[in-house]
Structure formats: C-alpha cells, structure tokens
Amino acid sequence: MASRYDRAITVFSPDGHLFQVEYAQEAVKKGSTAVGIRGTNIVVLGVEKKSVAKLQDERTVRKICALDDHVCMAFAGLTADARVVINRARVECQSHKLTVEDPVTVEYITRFIATLKQKYTQSNGRRPFGISALIVGFDDDGIPRLYQTDPSGTYHAWKANAIGRSAKTVREFLEKNYTEDAIANDNEAIKLAIRALLEVVQSGGKNIELAIIRRNQPLKMFSAKEIELQVTAIEKEKEEAEKKKSKKTV
Amino acid sequence: MAATFFGEVVKAPCRAGTEDEEEEDEERTETPEDREVRRQLARKREVRLLRRQTKTSLEVSLLEKYPCSKFIIAVGNNAVAFLSSFVMNSGAWEEVGCAKLWNEWCRTTDTAHLSPAEAFCVFYHLKSNPSVFGSCPKKNVQVTVLTSRHVTDYRTSESPGSLRCPFLRALKTQTLKEPPCCPLLEQPNIVHDLPAAVLSYCQVWKLPAVLYLCYTDVMKLDLVTMEAFKPVLSSRSFKGLVKNIPQSTEILKKLVTAEEIQSNIYT
C-alpha cells in the first residue's frame, strides 16, 4: 500500500501517513549518533565521529556546528541537507542580530529551522530534509536550552536526547541515568554525555567528539586528549563500581 | 486454417491475423541466430560449481566428496561477516569450492575477487573436523541459516517506535528438536529468497534446520547488527566452532571500518 502514496510528498495515505516524511526519518537513522544534555550551567553535545578516509581532511567532516556565538547544533542524517539547513540558520542568526540588535534565542532559531523543514513537507516536487538536529545554547536570561527537530518540522525542548543510529538505546540510557546528581556540576554532565555515547560507539573515546557551551562563554570543542582523559576517568569509575558490587556479593 | 477440396488442411493467408496465426508467425521468424543467442544466455546464467577459485569444475558431487553433519549458510553481508569473524576465524577452514552464477542483474562478471557482497557462494570445510561443512545436505545433517532483513518488513501490532532494533527471530523445520535461542518468527511475517528456499527444502526432505533472521535498521555492514547474531553462538550447531570471541570482535570492527569509509552521504 505504501508504494502508492509515497511518490509525491503532498499526498496523504488513507490512514493519514505522509510516507516521505517517515522515510526521511529512516534516513536520519543512517547517520551516526549524536547526544545532547542540558545541565544546570552547561549544555553538552556529543557525537560519534565517522571514520575518515586516509586522504580526507578530518577537519571538513564535522557533525557539530556553531550557528552563532551562543548557539550550536549537531545533526544526524544526510550531510548535504545539513549543510543547507546550517547555512540558512547562520544567515538568519546574523540577519536577526542586525535587524533587532539582539542575538537570536535558541527557541527562535529552532523554530526557524523547524519551519523551514515543514515547508519542504508541503511543497510539490521537493522532498523533506533528511536530518534531525539537536540545538543547544544559552539565552540572554542565562537559562540553558536543548531542542530537537526532526524531518517533519516538529521541535521540542528536552532535558537530554539522542538522534541518529541507536538513538533509542542512548535515550533509554539517559532516561535511567539523567538524575539531579548526574547534572550536579559541569563535569558530571560531560561525563554523562560520554557515558551515553560509549553505550553505542564502537571503538571508544577516539571516535567521540564533544562540544560544550557554558553560560556567557563561547562554544568549546574538546580535544582528543581531553576526551581520552574523561573516558579513562569513566572507566575507572566503572571498575570501582564493579569491585564494590563483587565485594557485596562475596 | 482451411480445408481444401482434397481434405487436407492448409494454412490460409489471412490479413486479419488470428491468434494461431501470430504464434506461427513467431515460430517462423525465429532464426537459428535467436536460438543461439538464447542458448548462450542460458549457458551464461548456469550455476557453476568450481573447485576453489580456479576454473576447473567440481565433477564429483560435493555431497559425496564431503559428507557433513553440520551445514551453515549465511545470506547477506551482515550474516556473512558475522560468520567469517566468529566461526571461520576460530579454526582452520579450507575453501573447497565455490558456486558462480551470473544473470542480467549482476553488476560485474569479474568473480575473481571475493567480498562479502558478491552474488555467489563459497564452500568451506573445517580442516580439523571435515564433517562440518557448507554443502548439499544429506540425512543426519543439521542446517543453520543466518540472514538479515530490514525492520520495516517486520509486521507487528506493536508500534514501530517501540521495537528495539536489531533483534533476532527464528524459524525451524518440524524435525528440529532443539529449541532455537531466540523467539520464533510471529505471524504474519514471512521469509523470502534463498533462506526460504533452503528452509522449504529441509522441511520437505525432513532435515532438521533452523533459520535465524535478524531484523535491523541498517542494511549495510554494521557492528550492532552483526553482534545481534551472538546468541546463535550458544546453540548446538555452533558448539565447538567458536573459540576466540574477543579476537573475533576485533576482526568484525576492522571489516566494518573498511566498509564505512566509503560513503559520505550520511553523517
């Protein structure tokens, strides 16, 4: 039945599906995992780095992009679609700043991106954008924000979320482990993001990229060394927890 | 057709053209060249059993040369990668033959370079225990088939968002007594292609066989999908065949990394 209703995206199926939009969500699952965490004074974005070919310049394969000084986003899905959306969002951020003399709020730019995505689900001859995005940042009021958008053009605020391959597994991990203690301080929030990624990332710390924004500070990308340090600390904690468990059972 | 005065039946020319007329037309126009082309095409599409990677064919039936008690077949790149990392690296497997086939959908006729995605089959047997093999089954042989399918083919009354991918389902023949190591495939799901053919063959010939089908959301070589096959290692058909699990995981990772770098479409 699906094949009769997925040729033109403006066509609803009898049971109310927009199949192209649902297929676009499948395209998102082909991208590697990205996780976003909203802490008390920090927002964290972690992504699984794709392996780069030998001759490829690693710097040009980026999943985390700054939209403005105080907002950044991570995406999962079609690389080219992401590039187009990011460019439009960046232009909108600057245009907004010049027009109203205020930087965009995280919600504003998320709504802009979501509206753009929704337009492409309602035009003929166009297909939806095949990306989901996690948008993080701080507003002028100093409150941290995390939003997620998907190909259908919906957006929601989240405390923590994951997109891309194995997003479900990561989300379940976050549901179990996102507690007040876990985001008590900045370092704990960073560790939570890395732990969530380690659930699904194959080769450990060297395939993880991390970015944070602290209140009134610009985006900071973690170096490989810093990530490695965090991973080692996490593994130590795991070992100690296991030792305690085995002591208890004995 | 018309009857003449003398009672013989002759073909009467008719411009209206009846059905019979059309068929006869075709027969009449089929030239020896057409027949030759068709014969060549049929020869090209023949399934050939060859000795190892050479051009010499296996004249002796594989079945008689290598009687076996376990037959394991992997269909699809994830199942093949799983089998080659976990099972074939835990012992010395010797390649005894391969099946080459070609049809118009094949993108290449060069079958000299093996890769998990090529459309033909290679037969291996375990050097240390020649009764374990991938070949035509006889009585007293247990058949195991591993394959994968996209989760969108899985029909269920649960909402698709609640399915935890990838997951394993099994289908077995009546003669298999051992319970499979995962839930059975629920109705109305069906199995397609080669795995279905193998299982049907085994059911008809009363051979114990089990098919393990992994529903996944990533159809290319993917570590998570391949690891979903792990419960299969605890079944009787794989007993004694798998030794180095950590090493196998490393080999799996290498296989995946090699494939992953190819595409830049998705990030």
Side-chain angles (χ1 to χ4, degrees), chain A residues 26-27 29-32 50-53 56 63 75-79 168-169 172 202, chain B residues 150 152 161-164 217-218 220 222-224 253 257 260-261 263-267:
Chain A
E26 289 300 311
K29 288 189 199 162
K30 288 186 139 64
S32 55
K50 216 178 92 104
S51 0
V52 184
Q56 200 171 43
K63 258 170 91 80
F75 66 90
L78 286 159
T79 324
K168 210 154 172 272
T169 317
E172 283 168 4
Q202 259 71 70
Chain B
H150 200 275
T152 45
S162 63
L163 284 174
R164 209 206 161 118
D217 50 2
V218 182
K220 63 179 178 83
D222 171 58
L223 207 56
V224 179
K253 282 187 196 170
T257 338
E260 220 175 50
I261 297 178
S263 164
N264 278 316
I265 304 179
Y266 301 99
T267 301

Side-chain angles (χ1 to χ4, degrees), chain B residues 11-65:
Chain B
K11 287 183 217 129
C14 172
R15 285 169 63 168
T18 61
E19 255 183 18
D20 291 346
E21 196 77 15
E22 277 172 25
E23 276 175 15
E24 283 169 27
D25 267 345
E26 277 176 23
E27 279 175 27
R28 230 181 289 136
T29 55
E30 190 196 70
T31 59
E33 282 120 355
D34 293 330
R35 254 172 276 147
E36 183 55 33
V37 165
R38 231 180 294 176
R39 213 179 301 140
Q40 279 189 8
L41 207 62
R43 221 178 302 147
K44 261 184 140 176
R45 289 162 128 251
E46 242 168 43
V47 179
R48 287 171 290 151
L49 286 176
L50 300 175
R51 191 190 305 279
R52 307 220 175 141
Q53 286 280 34
T54 63
K55 295 218 172 87
T56 56
S57 60
L58 277 166
E59 294 102 8
V60 171
S61 150
L62 283 171
L63 165 51
E64 283 149 42
K65 199 165 179 205

Side-chain angles (χ1 to χ4, degrees), chain B residues 67-264:
Chain B
C68 68
S69 64
K70 284 183 189 170
F71 175 47
I72 304 165
I73 175 168
V75 183
N77 48 10
N78 280 305
V80 166
F82 169 79
L83 206 64
S84 49
S85 323
F86 280 85
V87 177
M88 289 171 56
N89 278 292
S90 300
W93 289 79
E94 187 192 3
E95 189 190 319
V96 293
C98 64
K100 284 192 178 179
L101 62 92
W102 178 92
N103 60 39
E104 292 81 354
W105 287 295
C106 285
R107 266 172 269 160
T108 173
T109 47
D110 173 21
T111 46
H113 305 286
L114 253 183
S115 93
E118 287 295 330
F120 61 89
C121 173
V122 185
F123 301 110
Y124 297 90
H125 86 163
L126 191 60
K127 266 186 180 161
S128 56
N129 181 6
S131 72
V132 180
F133 180 49
S135 112
C136 304
K138 229 181 176 168
K139 288 281 174 190
N140 306 322
V141 69
Q142 170 153 342
V143 179
T144 312
V145 187
L146 303 175
T147 186
S148 57
R149 195 114 185 129
H150 200 275
V151 71
T152 45
D153 280 343
Y154 184 66
R155 315 264 185 269
T156 172
S157 54
E158 289 173 35
S159 95
S162 63
L163 284 174
R164 209 206 161 118
C165 251
F167 55 90
L168 220 54
R169 287 291 183 268
L171 208 56
K172 64 183 188 73
T173 58
Q174 227 165 4
T175 39
L176 184 78
K177 301 297 172 223
E178 179 201 346
C181 52
C182 66
L184 285 176
L185 188 65
E186 304 89 342
Q187 290 198 354
N189 293 292
I190 57 174
V191 181
H192 302 78
D193 305 328
L194 179 60
V198 170
L199 213 64
S200 308
Y201 180 93
C202 295
Q203 174 68 5
V204 165
W205 294 103
K206 297 193 170 53
L207 298 168
V210 62
L211 158 67
Y212 289 106
L213 174 54
C214 178
Y215 282 102
T216 172
D217 50 2
V218 182
M219 283 318 280
K220 63 179 178 83
L221 264 187
D222 171 58
L223 207 56
V224 179
T225 308
M226 289 189 270
E227 298 210 322
F229 280 112
K230 269 191 178 159
V232 161
L233 297 176
S234 58
S235 72
R236 209 168 61 115
S237 17
F238 284 82
K239 212 197 279 185
L241 292 180
V242 183
K243 279 145 205 160
N244 274 318
I245 295 195
Q247 202 186 46
S248 312
T249 322
E250 281 309 309
I251 297 170
L252 256 185
K253 282 187 196 170
K254 279 198 196 141
L255 272 173
V256 174
T257 338
E259 287 272 325
E260 220 175 50
I261 297 178
Q262 314 296 333
S263 164
N264 278 316

Side-chain angles (χ1 to χ4, degrees), chain A:
Chain A
M1 180 173 81
S3 53
R4 285 168 58 205
Y5 295 97
D6 61 11
R7 263 184 271 126
I9 54 164
T10 48
V11 179
F12 277 105
S13 71
D15 54 348
H17 287 275
L18 279 174
F19 282 111
Q20 275 299 304
V21 173
E22 291 180 21
Y23 298 164
Q25 279 162 343
E26 289 300 311
V28 169
K29 288 189 199 162
K30 288 186 139 64
S32 55
T33 322
V35 70
I37 306 232
R38 188 183 80 194
T40 337
N41 303 310
I42 190 175
V43 284
V44 187
L45 277 179
V47 298
E48 178 186 356
K49 244 190 329 194
K50 216 178 92 104
S51 0
V52 184
K54 262 193 190 166
L55 299 172
Q56 200 171 43
D57 190 342
E58 207 185 320
R59 283 184 314 147
T60 53
V61 185
R62 282 271 179 267
K63 258 170 91 80
I64 303 179
C65 311
L67 299 179
D68 202 344
D69 298 326
H70 62 298
V71 187
C72 77
M73 80 172 234
F75 66 90
L78 286 159
T79 324
D81 285 9
R83 191 186 65 233
V84 168
V85 168
I86 289 170
N87 281 342
R88 300 257 196 113
R90 283 173 172 166
V91 167
E92 179 61 23
C93 285
Q94 298 315 307
S95 168
H96 185 277
K97 214 189 268 185
L98 292 167
T99 317
V100 302
E101 295 177 4
D102 274 332
V104 293
T105 59
V106 185
E107 197 266 343
Y108 175 91
I109 195 65
T110 308
R111 195 166 4 108
F112 173 80
I113 291 174
T115 314
L116 174 66
K117 285 185 179 178
Q118 192 280 339
K119 270 196 216 148
Y120 279 65
T121 67
Q122 226 174 0
S123 307
N124 53 340
R126 295 192 195 188
R127 60 164 178 80
F129 284 102
I131 64 160
S132 276
L134 288 172
I135 301 155
V136 294
F138 278 85
D139 288 340
D140 260 347
D141 54 10
I143 299 180
R145 310 263 184 212
L146 164 63
Y147 288 93
Q148 186 233 344
T149 65
D150 67 14
S152 62
T154 54
Y155 72 96
H156 297 278
W158 290 76
K159 294 179 193 163
N161 200 1
I163 53 175
R165 184 166 32 210
S166 319
K168 210 154 172 272
T169 317
V170 179
R171 211 174 300 127
E172 283 168 4
F173 174 87
L174 289 171
E175 281 171 9
K176 280 193 208 133
N177 293 281
Y178 185 91
T179 56
E180 287 311 312
D181 290 333
I183 52 153
N185 63 47
D186 294 355
N187 210 30
E188 288 302 314
I190 294 171
K191 272 207 213 133
L192 180 62
I194 298 182
R195 275 166 53 214
L197 274 175
L198 286 173
E199 289 284 304
V200 296
V201 164
Q202 259 71 70
S203 1
K206 48 188 169 69
N207 270 21
I208 293 180
E209 214 165 59
L210 204 78
I212 59 165
I213 301 185
R214 288 194 166 100
R215 192 175 289 116
N216 298 324
Q217 288 182 32
L219 170 70
K220 176 180 186 306
M221 295 286 300
F222 271 42
S223 67
K225 263 193 202 162
E226 289 169 310
I227 297 177
E228 207 47 54
L229 276 168
Q230 294 282 355
V231 171
T232 330
I234 289 168
E235 280 169 2
K236 245 192 198 171
E237 279 173 20
K238 249 194 198 166
E239 275 175 34
E240 281 166 19
E242 273 172 25
K243 272 191 199 158
K244 270 191 192 162
K245 251 191 193 172
S246 53
K247 268 191 192 165
K248 269 191 190 164
T249 51
V250 167

Side-chain angles (χ1 to χ4, degrees), chain B residues 2-10:
Chain B
T4 64
F5 178 77
F6 301 103
E8 62 191 67
V9 175
V10 292

